[in-house]
Amino acid sequence: MAKVVGGVGTSHVPAIGAAVDGGRTGDPYWKPVFDGMQAARDWIAEVKPDVCIIVYNDHASCFSLNLTPTFALGVAESFQPHDEGYGPRPVPVVRGAPDLAWHLAEQLILSEFDITIVSEMTVDHGLTVPLSVLFGQPAEWPCRVIPLCVNVIQYPPPTGNRCLNLGKAIRSALESFPEELKVAVLGTGGLSHQLQGERAGLINVEFDNAWLDAFVDRPATVASMSHLEVLREAGSEGLECVMWLVMRGALNEDVDVHHRFYHVPASNTAYGLLVLEDAKNPASPGR
Ligand code: DHB
Ligand code: FE
């Protein structure tokens, strides 16, 4: 079976990708952010997942408003980085995991999640920045990737509860895969930020920290928050944090926090990072 070895939540701020690509991670502005990532890099280097399922949003790069899938699963052999207007990031091509991706598509759709199956897609900073956060600048990404693209761009996005339940269904689907594989699930986006309108520049440290606390210990509470509440507190683009709930759902109810880091600001955004594993000594029985 394919086994979930852990979950990572990380913001996907494009300026972080630009700092990596431009060799500026040691600059005084960026050093504290990259120092805060090191424990996550050490963790993934130790765990060595075969596949990362990356839950992210496309920022009108691959998809336009002509086509807005709520959940789009990439089943291709490979995914090219998207040119977002300043040239595609100079990062390796993302190698897919078609066998596992098709298995996920089948199991999820038969469990009544209406996934869009995507055989050809490009991936923007929403997916490539988390890879840079965890792996730096390798000649090739050290694992295969299944992109799971969530609509948080065009109203109405999926509910937190739907995302949490999708994560649970992903875990069940992985468990019925015939091959032995180690899988990490990454939830990306957030934390608080607003890039537009009168509240542009909004960051809400108090909300983010309370949200992270609840995300770890009471995910159902976080999942039941209305979009309006998240939007009010975390800003219009802060709503991206709903995607972390897919990762949380793929883990057991009880988790161990391997690493937690929060830093303000990273560009216009509050940077959040969590590395979670199923609890070694769960207080309540696992699924
Ligand atoms: C920015 C864009 C994002 O997609 C994001 O999640 C955070 C910040 C930006 O343009 O600064
Ligand atoms: Fe984003």
Side-chain angles (χ1 to χ4, degrees), residues 82-130:
H82 195 96
D83 182 345
E84 299 178 54
Y86 35 82
R89 290 190 61 210
V91 291
V93 63
V94 173
R95 289 180 303 127
D99 289 354
L100 181 59
W102 275 108
H103 174 81
L104 284 177
E106 177 185 55
Q107 295 301 311
L108 293 174
I109 290 166
L110 295 179
S111 337
E112 303 179 352
F113 286 88
D114 303 321
I115 301 295
T116 301
I117 300 168
V118 188
S119 305
E120 191 177 338
M121 68 199 272
T122 53
V123 288
D124 73 8
H125 68 268
L127 183 136
T128 62
V129 167

Side-chain angles (χ1 to χ4, degrees), residues 12 57 59 125 193 240:
H12 60 217
N57 67 290
H59 301 75
H125 68 268
H193 64 297
E240 289 177 344

Side-chain angles (χ1 to χ4, degrees), residues 11 16 31 45 49 67 107-108 139 189 201 205 209-210 230 248 274 276:
S11 313
I16 290 177
K31 190 172 182 321
L67 179 69
Q107 295 301 311
L108 293 174
V205 173
N209 282 292
V230 178
R248 187 66 186 83
L274 264 185
L276 304 179

Side-chain angles (χ1 to χ4, degrees), residues 44-202:
I44 207 143
E46 169 92 28
V47 168
K48 289 192 182 60
D50 300 298
V51 178
C52 285
I53 298 174
I54 306 189
V55 188
Y56 76 108
N57 67 290
D58 178 74
H59 301 75
S61 304
C62 177
F63 299 111
S64 74
L65 294 183
N66 291 337
L67 179 69
T68 310
T70 302
F71 297 113
L73 189 75
V75 298
E77 288 283 351
S78 64
F79 306 91
Q80 290 293 338
H82 195 96
D83 182 345
E84 299 178 54
Y86 35 82
R89 290 190 61 210
V91 291
V93 63
V94 173
R95 289 180 303 127
D99 289 354
L100 181 59
W102 275 108
H103 174 81
L104 284 177
E106 177 185 55
Q107 295 301 311
L108 293 174
I109 290 166
L110 295 179
S111 337
E112 303 179 352
F113 286 88
D114 303 321
I115 301 295
T116 301
I117 300 168
V118 188
S119 305
E120 191 177 338
M121 68 199 272
T122 53
V123 288
D124 73 8
H125 68 268
L127 183 136
T128 62
V129 167
L131 286 172
S132 302
V133 164
L134 291 178
F135 300 117
Q137 275 182 303
E140 270 194 28
W141 299 121
C143 64
R144 288 176 289 141
V145 170
I146 299 180
L148 174 54
C149 180
V150 179
N151 166 42
V152 292
I153 293 285
Q154 167 66 44
Y155 185 85
T159 63
N161 199 43
R162 187 67 170 157
C163 290
L164 188 70
N165 286 334
L166 177 59
K168 293 179 187 179
I170 287 173
R171 183 178 180 117
S172 301
L174 290 172
E175 286 171 352
S176 66
F177 190 63
E179 197 183 327
E180 291 270 321
L181 283 178
K182 292 186 287 185
V183 178
V185 183
L186 276 57
T188 81
L191 294 178
S192 59
H193 64 297
Q194 172 144 344
L195 303 173
Q196 56 184 314
E198 283 177 19
R199 297 201 308 161
L202 174 144

Side-chain angles (χ1 to χ4, degrees), residues 227-267:
H227 286 327
L228 198 58
E229 189 181 355
V230 178
L231 208 126
R232 191 183 291 129
E233 296 295 331
S236 50
E237 282 71 34
L239 187 65
E240 289 177 344
C241 67
V242 75
M243 295 182 289
W244 289 38
L245 284 162
V246 180
M247 172 273 274
R248 187 66 186 83
L251 297 172
N252 270 341
E253 192 71 26
D254 290 315
V255 289
D256 293 333
V257 179
H258 184 83
H259 182 56
R260 174 171 167 169
F261 175 66
Y262 181 80
H263 180 90
V264 168
S267 184

